Amino acid sequence: MTREDRHHVLVKPLRIWAALMALLTLTIVYAFVPGLPFKTETGLAIALAKALLIALLFMQLKGASGIVRIAALAGLVWASFLYVLTFADLLTR
């Protein structure tokens, strides 16, 4: 195994994992410290950052072909439709 292969197989996923653990720690700290403003918005921003890390790097969408990216985007659009319709139903009750 060459040095570049080892970096791609071992080091890169460990860096991503470390970034995800740092974001998880930030989420926990921000959730339990009282009196901090914009808790919901900050939590959603951190969740978006985690989702982007997973989608782009672990799911390898960064180097994927166009059709794979379109399929991932379509799944995201349909999931957002489900969330919007669920919240619309909840708010109108």
Side-chain angles (χ1 to χ4, degrees):
M1 183 180 290
T2 67
R3 184 178 181 101
E4 185 177 320
D5 291 339
R6 187 175 64 233
H7 177 74
H8 182 69
V9 172
L10 295 175
V11 176
K12 190 174 179 181
L14 285 176
R15 285 183 182 171
I16 299 166
W17 179 80
L20 288 170
M21 291 300 110
L23 287 169
L24 174 66
T25 304
L26 183 63
T27 303
I28 292 170
V29 167
Y30 205 83
F32 285 111
V33 174
L36 293 176
F38 306 112
K39 284 194 179 231
T40 304
E41 293 83 359
T42 305
L44 288 173
I46 294 170
L48 178 67
K50 288 189 243 181
L52 284 175
L53 275 174
I54 290 169
L56 291 177
L57 302 171
F58 277 141
M59 294 173 61
Q60 298 178 355
L61 287 179
K62 189 176 182 181
S65 65
I67 193 73
V68 174
R69 290 181 185 179
I70 291 172
L73 183 62
L76 184 63
V77 167
W78 283 109
S80 66
F81 284 154
L82 290 173
Y83 282 117
V84 167
L85 292 173
T86 300
F87 289 130
D89 181 51
L90 181 68
L91 293 173
T92 57
R93 289 184 182 214

Coordinates of all heavy atoms in Angstrom, one line a residue:
M1 N 0.9 -1.2 0.0 CA 0.0 0.0 0.0 C 0.9 1.2 0.0 O 1.7 1.4 0.9 CB -0.9 0.0 1.2 CG -1.9 1.1 1.3 SD -3.0 1.1 2.7 CE -4.0 -0.2 2.4
T2 N 0.7 2.1 -1.0 CA 1.5 3.3 -1.1 C 1.0 4.3 0.0 O 0.0 4.2 0.6 CB 1.4 3.9 -2.5 OG1 0.0 4.4 -2.6 CG2 1.7 2.9 -3.5
R3 N 1.8 5.3 0.1 CA 1.5 6.4 1.1 C 0.2 7.1 0.7 O -0.6 7.4 1.6 CB 2.7 7.3 1.2 CG 2.5 8.4 2.2 CD 3.7 9.3 2.2 NE 3.6 10.3 3.2 CZ 4.2 10.3 4.4 NH1 4.9 9.3 4.8 NH2 4.0 11.2 5.3
E4 N 0.0 7.3 -0.6 CA -1.2 8.0 -1.0 C -2.4 7.1 -0.8 O -3.5 7.6 -0.3 CB -1.1 8.3 -2.5 CG -2.3 9.1 -3.0 CD -2.1 9.5 -4.4 OE1 -1.0 9.9 -4.8 OE2 -3.1 9.5 -5.2
D5 N -2.3 5.8 -1.0 CA -3.4 4.9 -0.7 C -3.8 4.9 0.7 O -5.0 4.8 1.1 CB -3.1 3.5 -1.2 CG -3.1 3.4 -2.7 OD1 -3.7 4.3 -3.4 OD2 -2.4 2.5 -3.2
R6 N -2.8 4.8 1.6 CA -3.0 4.8 3.0 C -3.7 6.1 3.5 O -4.6 6.0 4.3 CB -1.6 4.6 3.7 CG -1.8 4.4 5.2 CD -0.6 4.0 6.0 NE 0.4 5.1 5.9 CZ 1.6 5.0 5.5 NH1 2.1 3.9 5.0 NH2 2.4 6.1 5.4
H7 N -3.2 7.2 2.9 CA -3.9 8.5 3.3 C -5.3 8.5 2.9 O -6.2 8.9 3.7 CB -3.1 9.6 2.6 CG -3.7 11.0 2.8 ND1 -3.6 11.6 4.1 CD2 -4.5 11.7 2.1 CE1 -4.3 12.7 4.0 NE2 -4.8 12.9 2.8
H8 N -5.6 8.0 1.7 CA -7.0 8.0 1.2 C -7.9 7.0 2.0 O -9.0 7.3 2.3 CB -7.0 7.6 -0.3 CG -8.4 7.6 -0.8 ND1 -9.1 8.8 -1.0 CD2 -9.2 6.6 -1.3 CE1 -10.3 8.5 -1.5 NE2 -10.4 7.2 -1.7
V9 N -7.3 5.8 2.4 CA -8.1 4.8 3.1 C -8.2 5.0 4.6 O -9.2 4.8 5.2 CB -7.5 3.4 2.8 CG1 -8.2 2.3 3.6 CG2 -7.6 3.1 1.3
L10 N -7.1 5.5 5.2 CA -7.1 5.6 6.7 C -7.2 7.0 7.2 O -8.1 7.3 8.1 CB -5.8 5.0 7.2 CG -5.7 3.5 7.0 CD1 -4.3 3.0 7.5 CD2 -6.8 2.7 7.7
V11 N -6.4 7.9 6.7 CA -6.3 9.2 7.3 C -7.5 10.1 7.0 O -8.1 10.8 7.9 CB -5.0 9.9 6.9 CG1 -4.9 11.3 7.4 CG2 -3.8 9.1 7.4
K12 N -8.0 10.1 5.8 CA -9.1 11.0 5.4 C -10.4 10.6 6.1 O -11.0 11.5 6.7 CB -9.3 10.9 3.9 CG -10.2 11.9 3.3 CD -10.3 11.9 1.8 CE -11.3 12.9 1.3 NZ -11.3 12.9 -0.2
P13 N -10.8 9.4 6.2 CA -12.0 9.1 7.0 C -11.8 9.4 8.5 O -12.8 9.8 9.1 CB -12.2 7.6 6.8 CG -11.6 7.3 5.5 CD -10.4 8.2 5.4
L14 N -10.6 9.2 9.0 CA -10.4 9.6 10.4 C -10.5 11.1 10.6 O -11.0 11.5 11.7 CB -9.0 9.1 10.9 CG -8.9 7.6 11.1 CD1 -7.5 7.2 11.5 CD2 -9.9 7.2 12.2
R15 N -10.1 11.9 9.7 CA -10.3 13.3 9.8 C -11.7 13.7 9.7 O -12.2 14.6 10.5 CB -9.5 14.1 8.7 CG -8.0 14.1 8.9 CD -7.4 14.9 7.8 NE -5.9 14.9 8.0 CZ -5.1 15.3 7.1 NH1 -5.5 15.8 5.9 NH2 -3.8 15.3 7.3
I16 N -12.5 13.1 8.9 CA -13.9 13.4 8.8 C -14.6 12.9 10.1 O -15.5 13.7 10.6 CB -14.5 12.6 7.5 CG1 -13.9 13.1 6.3 CG2 -16.0 12.8 7.5 CD1 -14.2 12.2 5.1
W17 N -14.2 11.8 10.6 CA -14.8 11.3 11.8 C -14.5 12.3 13.0 O -15.4 12.6 13.8 CB -14.3 9.9 12.2 CG -14.8 9.4 13.4 CD1 -16.0 8.8 13.7 CD2 -14.1 9.4 14.7 NE1 -16.1 8.4 15.0 CE2 -15.0 8.8 15.6 CE3 -12.9 9.8 15.1 CZ2 -14.6 8.6 16.9 CZ3 -12.5 9.7 16.4 CH2 -13.4 9.1 17.3
A18 N -13.3 12.8 13.0 CA -12.9 13.8 14.0 C -13.7 15.0 13.9 O -14.1 15.6 14.9 CB -11.4 14.1 14.0
A19 N -13.9 15.5 12.7 CA -14.8 16.7 12.5 C -16.2 16.4 12.9 O -16.8 17.3 13.5 CB -14.7 17.1 11.0
L20 N -16.7 15.2 12.6 CA -18.1 14.9 13.1 C -18.2 14.8 14.6 O -19.2 15.3 15.2 CB -18.5 13.6 12.5 CG -18.9 13.6 11.0 CD1 -19.1 12.2 10.4 CD2 -20.1 14.5 10.7
M21 N -17.1 14.3 15.2 CA -17.1 14.3 16.7 C -17.0 15.7 17.3 O -17.6 16.0 18.3 CB -16.0 13.4 17.2 CG -16.2 11.9 16.9 SD -17.6 11.2 17.7 CE -18.6 10.9 16.3
A22 N -16.3 16.5 16.7 CA -16.2 17.9 17.1 C -17.5 18.6 17.0 O -17.9 19.4 17.9 CB -15.1 18.7 16.3
L23 N -18.2 18.4 15.9 CA -19.5 19.0 15.7 C -20.5 18.4 16.7 O -21.4 19.1 17.2 CB -20.0 18.8 14.3 CG -19.3 19.7 13.2 CD1 -19.7 19.2 11.8 CD2 -19.7 21.1 13.4
L24 N -20.4 17.1 17.0 CA -21.3 16.5 18.0 C -21.0 17.1 19.4 O -22.0 17.5 20.1 CB -21.0 15.0 18.1 CG -21.8 14.3 19.2 CD1 -23.3 14.3 18.9 CD2 -21.3 12.8 19.3
T25 N -19.8 17.3 19.7 CA -19.4 18.0 21.0 C -20.0 19.4 21.1 O -20.5 19.8 22.1 CB -17.9 18.0 21.2 OG1 -17.4 16.6 21.1 CG2 -17.5 18.6 22.5
L26 N -19.8 20.1 20.0 CA -20.4 21.5 19.9 C -21.9 21.5 20.1 O -22.4 22.3 20.8 CB -20.0 22.1 18.6 CG -20.4 23.6 18.3 CD1 -19.7 24.5 19.4 CD2 -20.1 24.0 16.9
T27 N -22.6 20.5 19.5 CA -24.0 20.4 19.6 C -24.4 20.2 21.1 O -25.3 20.8 21.6 CB -24.6 19.2 18.7 OG1 -24.2 19.5 17.4 CG2 -26.1 19.1 18.9
I28 N -23.7 19.2 21.7 CA -24.0 18.9 23.1 C -23.8 20.1 24.0 O -24.6 20.4 24.9 CB -23.2 17.7 23.5 CG1 -23.8 16.4 22.8 CG2 -23.4 17.4 25.1 CD1 -22.9 15.2 23.0
V29 N -22.6 20.7 23.8 CA -22.3 21.9 24.7 C -23.3 23.0 24.5 O -23.8 23.6 25.5 CB -20.9 22.4 24.4 CG1 -20.6 23.7 25.0 CG2 -19.8 21.4 24.9
Y30 N -23.6 23.3 23.3 CA -24.6 24.4 23.0 C -26.0 24.1 23.5 O -26.7 24.9 23.9 CB -24.6 24.7 21.5 CG -25.0 26.1 21.2 CD1 -24.1 27.1 21.2 CD2 -26.3 26.4 20.9 CE1 -24.5 28.4 20.9 CE2 -26.8 27.7 20.6 CZ -25.8 28.7 20.7 OH -26.2 30.0 20.4
A31 N -26.3 22.8 23.5 CA -27.7 22.4 24.0 C -27.8 22.5 25.5 O -28.9 22.9 26.0 CB -28.0 21.0 23.5
F32 N -26.7 22.3 26.2 CA -26.8 22.2 27.7 C -26.4 23.5 28.4 O -26.6 23.6 29.6 CB -26.1 21.0 28.2 CG -26.8 19.7 28.0 CD1 -26.2 18.8 27.1 CD2 -27.9 19.4 28.7 CE1 -26.9 17.6 26.9 CE2 -28.6 18.2 28.4 CZ -28.1 17.3 27.6
V33 N -25.8 24.4 27.7 CA -25.5 25.7 28.3 C -26.7 26.6 28.3 O -27.2 26.9 27.2 CB -24.3 26.4 27.6 CG1 -24.0 27.7 28.1 CG2 -23.0 25.5 27.7
P34 N -27.2 27.0 29.4 CA -28.4 27.9 29.4 C -28.1 29.3 29.0 O -27.0 29.8 29.2 CB -28.8 27.8 30.9 CG -27.6 27.5 31.7 CD -26.7 26.7 30.8
G35 N -29.1 29.9 28.4 CA -29.0 31.3 28.1 C -28.4 31.7 26.8 O -28.2 32.9 26.5
L36 N -28.0 30.7 26.0 CA -27.4 31.0 24.7 C -28.5 31.3 23.7 O -29.5 30.7 23.6 CB -26.5 29.9 24.2 CG -25.3 29.6 25.1 CD1 -24.6 28.3 24.5 CD2 -24.3 30.8 25.0
P37 N -28.3 32.4 22.9 CA -29.3 32.7 21.9 C -29.3 31.8 20.7 O -28.3 31.1 20.4 CB -28.9 34.1 21.5 CG -27.4 34.2 21.7 CD -27.1 33.3 22.9
F38 N -30.4 31.8 20.0 CA -30.5 31.1 18.7 C -30.2 29.6 18.8 O -29.4 29.1 17.9 CB -29.6 31.7 17.6 CG -29.9 33.2 17.4 CD1 -28.9 34.1 17.8 CD2 -31.1 33.7 16.9 CE1 -29.1 35.5 17.6 CE2 -31.3 35.0 16.8 CZ -30.3 35.9 17.1
K39 N -30.7 28.9 19.8 CA -30.4 27.5 19.9 C -30.9 26.6 18.8 O -30.2 25.8 18.3 CB -31.0 27.0 21.2 CG -30.2 27.4 22.4 CD -30.6 26.6 23.6 CE -29.8 27.0 24.8 NZ -29.1 25.9 25.5
T40 N -32.1 26.9 18.3 CA -32.7 26.1 17.2 C -31.9 26.4 15.9 O -31.5 25.4 15.2 CB -34.1 26.5 17.0 OG1 -34.8 26.3 18.2 CG2 -34.8 25.6 15.9
E41 N -31.6 27.6 15.6 CA -30.9 27.9 14.4 C -29.5 27.4 14.4 O -29.0 26.8 13.4 CB -30.9 29.4 14.2 CG -32.2 30.0 13.9 CD -33.0 30.4 15.1 OE1 -32.6 30.1 16.3 OE2 -34.1 30.9 15.0
T42 N -28.8 27.4 15.5 CA -27.5 26.9 15.6 C -27.5 25.4 15.5 O -26.6 24.8 14.9 CB -26.8 27.3 17.0 OG1 -26.9 28.8 17.1 CG2 -25.4 26.9 17.1
G43 N -28.4 24.8 16.2 CA -28.6 23.3 16.1 C -28.8 22.8 14.6 O -28.2 21.9 14.2
L44 N -29.6 23.6 13.9 CA -29.9 23.2 12.5 C -28.7 23.5 11.6 O -28.4 22.7 10.7 CB -31.1 24.0 12.0 CG -32.4 23.6 12.5 CD1 -33.5 24.5 12.1 CD2 -32.8 22.2 12.1
A45 N -27.9 24.5 11.9 CA -26.7 24.8 11.1 C -25.7 23.7 11.4 O -25.0 23.3 10.4 CB -26.2 26.2 11.5
I46 N -25.5 23.3 12.6 CA -24.6 22.2 12.9 C -25.0 20.9 12.2 O -24.2 20.2 11.7 CB -24.4 22.1 14.4 CG1 -23.7 23.3 15.0 CG2 -23.6 20.8 14.8 CD1 -23.7 23.3 16.5
A47 N -26.3 20.6 12.3 CA -26.8 19.4 11.6 C -26.6 19.5 10.1 O -26.3 18.4 9.5 CB -28.3 19.2 11.9
L48 N -26.7 20.6 9.5 CA -26.5 20.8 8.1 C -25.0 20.5 7.8 O -24.7 19.9 6.8 CB -26.9 22.2 7.6 CG -26.7 22.5 6.2 CD1 -27.5 21.6 5.3 CD2 -26.9 23.9 5.9
A49 N -24.1 21.0 8.6 CA -22.7 20.8 8.4 C -22.4 19.3 8.5 O -21.6 18.8 7.7 CB -21.9 21.6 9.4
K50 N -23.0 18.6 9.5 CA -22.7 17.2 9.6 C -23.3 16.4 8.4 O -22.6 15.5 7.8 CB -23.4 16.7 10.9 CG -22.7 17.1 12.1 CD -23.3 16.3 13.3 CE -24.0 17.2 14.3 NZ -24.5 16.6 15.4
A51 N -24.4 16.8 7.9 CA -25.0 16.2 6.7 C -24.2 16.4 5.5 O -24.0 15.5 4.7 CB -26.4 16.7 6.5
L52 N -23.7 17.6 5.3 CA -22.8 17.9 4.2 C -21.5 17.1 4.2 O -21.0 16.6 3.2 CB -22.5 19.4 4.1 CG -23.6 20.2 3.6 CD1 -23.3 21.7 3.7 CD2 -24.0 19.9 2.2
L53 N -20.9 17.0 5.4 CA -19.7 16.1 5.5 C -20.0 14.7 5.2 O -19.2 14.1 4.4 CB -19.2 16.2 7.0 CG -18.3 17.3 7.4 CD1 -18.0 17.3 8.9 CD2 -17.0 17.3 6.6
I54 N -21.1 14.2 5.6 CA -21.4 12.8 5.3 C -21.7 12.6 3.9 O -21.2 11.7 3.2 CB -22.6 12.3 6.2 CG1 -22.1 12.2 7.7 CG2 -23.1 10.9 5.7 CD1 -23.2 12.0 8.7
A55 N -22.5 13.5 3.3 CA -22.9 13.3 1.9 C -21.8 13.5 0.9 O -21.6 12.7 0.0 CB -24.0 14.3 1.6
L56 N -21.0 14.6 1.2 CA -19.9 14.8 0.2 C -18.7 13.9 0.3 O -18.1 13.5 -0.7 CB -19.4 16.3 0.4 CG -20.4 17.4 0.0 CD1 -19.8 18.7 0.3 CD2 -20.8 17.3 -1.5
L57 N -18.4 13.5 1.5 CA -17.1 12.7 1.7 C -17.3 11.3 1.9 O -16.7 10.4 1.3 CB -16.3 13.4 2.8 CG -16.0 14.9 2.6 CD1 -15.4 15.5 3.8 CD2 -15.1 15.0 1.3
F58 N -18.2 10.9 2.8 CA -18.5 9.4 3.1 C -19.3 8.8 1.9 O -19.0 7.7 1.5 CB -19.2 9.2 4.4 CG -18.3 9.2 5.6 CD1 -18.6 9.7 6.8 CD2 -17.0 8.6 5.5 CE1 -17.8 9.7 7.9 CE2 -16.2 8.6 6.6 CZ -16.6 9.2 7.8
M59 N -20.3 9.5 1.4 CA -21.1 9.0 0.3 C -20.4 9.3 -1.0 O -20.9 8.8 -2.1 CB -22.5 9.6 0.4 CG -23.3 9.2 1.6 SD -24.9 10.0 1.7 CE -25.7 9.5 0.2
Q60 N -19.3 10.0 -1.0 CA -18.5 10.3 -2.2 C -19.2 11.0 -3.3 O -19.0 10.7 -4.5 CB -17.8 9.0 -2.7 CG -16.9 8.3 -1.7 CD -16.3 7.1 -2.2 OE1 -16.6 6.6 -3.3 NE2 -15.4 6.5 -1.4
L61 N -20.1 11.9 -2.9 CA -20.9 12.7 -3.9 C -20.0 13.7 -4.5 O -20.3 14.2 -5.6 CB -22.1 13.3 -3.2 CG -23.2 12.4 -2.9 CD1 -24.4 13.2 -2.3 CD2 -23.7 11.7 -4.1
K62 N -18.9 14.0 -3.9 CA -18.0 15.1 -4.4 C -17.4 14.6 -5.7 O -17.2 15.5 -6.6 CB -16.9 15.3 -3.4 CG -16.0 16.5 -3.7 CD -15.0 16.7 -2.5 CE -14.1 17.9 -2.8 NZ -13.2 18.1 -1.7
G63 N -17.1 13.4 -5.9 CA -16.5 12.9 -7.1 C -17.4 12.0 -7.9 O -17.0 11.3 -8.8
A64 N -18.7 12.0 -7.6 CA -19.6 11.2 -8.3 C -20.1 11.7 -9.6 O -19.9 12.9 -9.9 CB -20.9 11.0 -7.4
S65 N -20.7 10.9 -10.4 CA -21.1 11.3 -11.7 C -22.4 12.2 -11.6 O -23.0 12.2 -10.5 CB -21.5 10.1 -12.6 OG -22.5 9.4 -12.1
G66 N -22.8 12.9 -12.6 CA -23.9 13.8 -12.6 C -25.2 13.1 -12.2 O -26.0 13.6 -11.4
I67 N -25.5 11.9 -12.7 CA -26.7 11.2 -12.4 C -26.8 10.8 -10.9 O -27.9 10.8 -10.4 CB -26.9 10.0 -13.3 CG1 -28.3 9.4 -13.3 CG2 -25.9 8.9 -13.0 CD1 -29.3 10.3 -14.0
V68 N -25.7 10.5 -10.3 CA -25.7 10.1 -8.9 C -26.0 11.4 -8.1 O -26.8 11.3 -7.1 CB -24.4 9.5 -8.5 CG1 -24.3 9.3 -7.0 CG2 -24.2 8.2 -9.2
R69 N -25.5 12.5 -8.5 CA -25.8 13.7 -7.7 C -27.2 14.1 -7.9 O -27.8 14.6 -7.0 CB -24.9 14.9 -8.3 CG -23.4 14.7 -7.9 CD -22.6 15.8 -8.4 NE -21.2 15.6 -8.1 CZ -20.3 16.5 -8.5 NH1 -20.6 17.6 -9.2 NH2 -19.0 16.2 -8.2
I70 N -27.8 13.9 -9.1 CA -29.2 14.3 -9.3 C -30.1 13.4 -8.5 O -31.1 13.8 -7.9 CB -29.5 14.2 -10.8 CG1 -28.9 15.3 -11.6 CG2 -31.0 14.2 -11.0 CD1 -29.0 15.2 -13.1
A71 N -29.7 12.1 -8.4 CA -30.5 11.1 -7.6 C -30.4 11.6 -6.1 O -31.5 11.5 -5.4 CB -30.0 9.7 -7.7
A72 N -29.3 12.0 -5.6 CA -29.2 12.4 -4.2 C -30.0 13.7 -4.0 O -30.6 13.8 -2.9 CB -27.7 12.6 -3.9
L73 N -29.9 14.6 -4.9 CA -30.7 15.8 -4.8 C -32.2 15.5 -4.9 O -33.0 16.2 -4.1 CB -30.3 16.8 -5.9 CG -31.0 18.2 -5.9 CD1 -30.6 18.9 -4.6 CD2 -30.6 18.9 -7.1
A74 N -32.6 14.6 -5.7 CA -34.0 14.3 -5.8 C -34.5 13.7 -4.4 O -35.6 14.0 -4.0 CB -34.3 13.3 -6.9
G75 N -33.7 12.8 -3.8 CA -34.0 12.3 -2.5 C -34.2 13.4 -1.5 O -35.1 13.4 -0.6
L76 N -33.3 14.4 -1.5 CA -33.3 15.5 -0.6 C -34.6 16.3 -0.8 O -35.2 16.7 0.2 CB -32.1 16.3 -0.7 CG -31.9 17.5 0.2 CD1 -31.8 17.0 1.7 CD2 -30.7 18.3 -0.1
V77 N -34.9 16.5 -2.0 CA -36.1 17.3 -2.4 C -37.4 16.6 -1.9 O -38.3 17.2 -1.2 CB -36.2 17.6 -3.9 CG1 -37.6 18.1 -4.3 CG2 -35.1 18.6 -4.3
W78 N -37.5 15.3 -2.1 CA -38.7 14.6 -1.7 C -38.7 14.5 -0.1 O -39.8 14.6 0.4 CB -38.7 13.2 -2.3 CG -39.1 13.2 -3.7 CD1 -38.4 13.0 -4.8 CD2 -40.5 13.6 -4.2 NE1 -39.1 13.2 -5.9 CE2 -40.4 13.5 -5.6 CE3 -41.7 13.9 -3.6 CZ2 -41.5 13.8 -6.4 CZ3 -42.8 14.2 -4.4 CH2 -42.7 14.1 -5.7
A79 N -37.6 14.4 0.5 CA -37.6 14.4 2.0 C -38.1 15.7 2.5 O -38.8 15.8 3.5 CB -36.2 14.0 2.5
S80 N -37.6 16.8 1.9 CA -38.1 18.1 2.3 C -39.6 18.3 2.1 O -40.2 19.0 2.9 CB -37.3 19.2 1.6 OG -37.5 19.2 0.2
F81 N -40.1 17.8 1.0 CA -41.5 17.8 0.8 C -42.3 17.1 1.9 O -43.3 17.6 2.4 CB -42.0 17.2 -0.5 CG -41.7 18.0 -1.8 CD1 -41.5 17.4 -3.0 CD2 -41.6 19.4 -1.7 CE1 -41.2 18.1 -4.1 CE2 -41.3 20.1 -2.8 CZ -41.2 19.5 -4.0
L82 N -41.8 16.0 2.3 CA -42.4 15.3 3.4 C -42.4 16.0 4.7 O -43.4 16.1 5.4 CB -41.8 13.9 3.6 CG -42.0 12.9 2.5 CD1 -41.1 11.6 2.7 CD2 -43.4 12.5 2.4
Y83 N -41.3 16.7 5.0 CA -41.2 17.5 6.2 C -42.1 18.7 6.2 O -42.8 19.0 7.1 CB -39.7 17.9 6.5 CG -38.9 16.9 7.0 CD1 -37.8 16.4 6.3 CD2 -39.1 16.3 8.3 CE1 -36.9 15.4 6.9 CE2 -38.3 15.3 8.8 CZ -37.2 14.9 8.1 OH -36.4 13.9 8.6
V84 N -42.1 19.4 5.0 CA -43.0 20.6 4.9 C -44.4 20.2 5.0 O -45.2 20.9 5.8 CB -42.7 21.3 3.6 CG1 -43.7 22.3 3.3 CG2 -41.3 21.9 3.6
L85 N -44.8 19.1 4.4 CA -46.2 18.7 4.5 C -46.6 18.2 5.9 O -47.7 18.5 6.4 CB -46.5 17.6 3.5 CG -46.5 18.1 2.0 CD1 -46.7 16.9 1.1 CD2 -47.6 19.1 1.7
T86 N -45.7 17.6 6.6 CA -46.0 17.1 7.9 C -46.1 18.3 8.9 O -47.1 18.4 9.7 CB -44.8 16.2 8.4 OG1 -44.7 15.1 7.6 CG2 -45.1 15.8 9.8
F87 N -45.2 19.3 8.7 CA -45.3 20.5 9.6 C -46.5 21.3 9.2 O -47.1 21.9 10.1 CB -44.0 21.3 9.5 CG -42.9 20.6 10.2 CD1 -41.7 20.5 9.6 CD2 -43.0 20.1 11.5 CE1 -40.6 19.9 10.2 CE2 -41.9 19.5 12.1 CZ -40.7 19.4 11.5
A88 N -46.9 21.4 8.0 CA -48.1 22.1 7.6 C -49.4 21.5 8.2 O -50.3 22.1 8.7 CB -48.3 22.2 6.1
D89 N -49.4 20.1 8.2 CA -50.5 19.4 8.8 C -50.5 19.7 10.3 O -51.6 19.9 10.9 CB -50.4 18.0 8.5 CG -51.6 17.2 9.1 OD1 -52.7 17.6 8.9 OD2 -51.3 16.2 9.8
L90 N -49.4 19.7 10.9 CA -49.3 19.9 12.4 C -49.7 21.3 12.8 O -50.4 21.5 13.8 CB -47.8 19.6 12.8 CG -47.6 19.8 14.3 CD1 -48.3 18.7 15.1 CD2 -46.1 19.8 14.6
L91 N -49.4 22.3 12.0 CA -49.7 23.7 12.3 C -51.2 24.0 12.0 O -51.7 24.9 12.6 CB -48.8 24.6 11.5 CG -47.3 24.6 11.9 CD1 -46.5 25.5 10.9 CD2 -47.1 25.1 13.3
T92 N -51.8 23.2 11.2 CA -53.2 23.5 10.9 C -54.2 22.8 11.8 O -55.4 22.9 11.6 CB -53.6 23.2 9.4 OG1 -53.3 21.8 9.2 CG2 -52.8 24.1 8.5
R93 N -53.7 22.0 12.7 CA -54.6 21.3 13.6 C -55.0 22.1 14.8 O -54.4 23.0 15.3 CB -53.9 20.0 14.1 CG -53.8 19.0 13.0 CD -53.3 17.7 13.5 NE -53.2 16.8 12.4 CZ -53.3 15.5 12.5 NH1 -53.6 15.0 13.7 NH2 -53.2 14.7 11.5

